[in-house]
């Protein structure tokens, strides 16, 4: 807690220490399942933390903050599939951005949902934005 703004670097370090081993050992399908579990479990853990402590704490622990990295890794995994098409990226970009922003705005008025889902909404909107940037950055 003495390193303040460096907590996000610690989260990234934890992810990137484990992620290469998972990519090397697991199939694409298993990786997708693992990432889906990460993206679902982080908000659940934030909700449990809120229910136990009764306030929306800004937690710096890795397991509360992995869904954003999980969304990005899922996007990268998806784009590397042989069946992937740019038209899918257009649809995903718009949908994820819209759903993420709607979630972020909607849950802020509900304390319990806010504690669990506000960060996830922001992360999903960021994944949609990233998909849009990927779309703009590729030709054709």
């Amino acid at each position: 807690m003495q390193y303040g703004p460096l907590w996000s670097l610690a989260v990234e370090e934890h992810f990137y220490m484990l992620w290469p081993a998972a990519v090397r050992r697991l199939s694409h399908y298993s990786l997708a399942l693992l990432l889906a579990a990460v993206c679902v479990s982080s908000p659940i853990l934030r909700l449990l933390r809120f229910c136990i402590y009764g306030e929306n704490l800004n937690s710096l622990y890795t397991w509360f903050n992995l869904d954003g990295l999980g969304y990005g890794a899922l996007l990268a995994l998806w784009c590397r599939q042989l069946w992937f098409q740019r038209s899918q990226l257009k649809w995903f970009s718009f949908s994820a951005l819209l759903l993420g922003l709607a979630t972020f705005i909607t849950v802020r008025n509900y304390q319990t949902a806010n504690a669990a889902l506000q960060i996830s909404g922001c992360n999903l909107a960021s994944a949609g934005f990233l998909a849009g940037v990927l779309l703009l950055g590729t030709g054709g």
Side-chain angles (χ1 to χ4, degrees), residues 35 69-81 84 88-89 92-93 96 126-134:
L35 290 168
L69 291 166
Y71 288 138
L74 264 174
L75 179 61
L77 186 64
W78 179 41
C79 290
R80 302 277 313 210
Q81 298 303 308
F84 173 76
Q88 297 169 333
L89 195 59
F92 173 78
S93 176
S126 296
F129 178 75
L130 177 61
V133 170
L134 286 173

Side-chain angles (χ1 to χ4, degrees), residues 3-134:
Y3 295 105
L6 299 178
W7 71 270
S8 65
L9 292 174
V11 171
E12 290 176 31
E13 288 292 328
H14 292 146
F15 181 79
Y16 291 121
M17 280 189 324
L18 299 173
W19 184 241
V23 168
R24 183 158 178 90
R25 289 180 175 81
L26 299 175
S27 68
H28 283 242
Y29 180 76
S30 297
L31 284 172
L33 288 177
L34 175 65
L35 290 168
V38 165
C39 291
V40 168
S41 64
S42 282
I44 291 171
L45 290 172
R46 287 193 296 266
L47 177 63
L48 290 173
R49 180 198 60 200
F50 176 77
C51 291
I52 292 169
Y53 294 107
E55 57 185 271
N56 191 3
L57 302 171
N58 183 15
S59 181
L60 310 180
Y61 293 113
T62 299
W63 47 88
F64 295 127
N65 295 293
L66 281 177
D67 51 338
L69 291 166
Y71 288 138
L74 264 174
L75 179 61
L77 186 64
W78 179 41
C79 290
R80 302 277 313 210
Q81 298 303 308
L82 294 175
W83 45 264
F84 173 76
Q85 297 175 0
R86 284 183 94 242
S87 61
Q88 297 169 333
L89 195 59
K90 290 177 187 177
W91 174 86
F92 173 78
S93 176
F94 179 73
S95 299
L97 187 58
L98 193 61
L99 181 62
L101 288 173
T103 301
F104 183 80
I105 291 168
T106 302
V107 300
R108 65 185 178 155
N109 295 325
Y110 304 97
Q111 193 173 16
T112 303
N114 185 42
L117 296 174
Q118 186 180 36
I119 294 170
S120 293
C122 183
N123 290 334
L124 185 58
S126 296
F129 178 75
L130 177 61
V133 170
L134 286 173

